[in-house]
Amino acid sequence: CQIAPSGRWLNANPALATMLAYAKPLDLLTAQPDLKNFFFVDSEARDKFFRILDDNRRSGNFEADVRRADHQVIRVTITGHA
């Protein structure tokens, strides 16, 4: 997937959509337009992730609790680069 620094989804793949209990990527993009307010359980986690990206240009093995479409919370490892 790709996420803008603002927290808006740019795209998502079918595997991510399935993991987050959405039928297809478009459903994920429509239901969760902003990562900060629904996706991350801890609203500060997204900010911390992007701070790491800003400082290092990449983040490996960043763990966070995220919320699925069915409101179940799961722990994921996020890797990203700026």
Side-chain angles (χ1 to χ4, degrees), residues 11-28:
N11 64 50
N13 61 46
L16 178 63
T18 299
M19 181 176 70
L20 297 176
Y22 290 94
K24 57 186 183 252
L26 183 58
D27 294 341
L28 167 61

Side-chain angles (χ1 to χ4, degrees), residues 11-82:
N11 64 50
N13 61 46
L16 178 63
T18 299
M19 181 176 70
L20 297 176
Y22 290 94
K24 57 186 183 252
L26 183 58
D27 294 341
L28 167 61
L29 299 176
T30 303
Q32 292 195 26
D34 179 2
L35 290 176
K36 187 174 183 179
N37 294 319
F38 183 81
F39 181 71
F40 286 101
V41 173
D42 175 3
S43 63
E44 296 298 316
R46 177 203 165 269
D47 294 336
K48 182 177 179 181
F49 177 70
F50 278 102
R51 274 196 306 274
I52 292 169
L53 286 181
D54 286 344
D55 293 345
N56 303 316
R57 306 295 297 161
R58 72 177 333 119
S59 171
N61 302 324
F62 181 83
E63 290 190 7
D65 292 330
V66 299
R67 192 172 288 113
R68 295 169 22 117
D70 58 8
H71 297 276
Q72 179 181 345
V73 173
I74 60 172
R75 171 138 306 201
V76 298
T77 301
I78 305 168
T79 300
H81 58 87

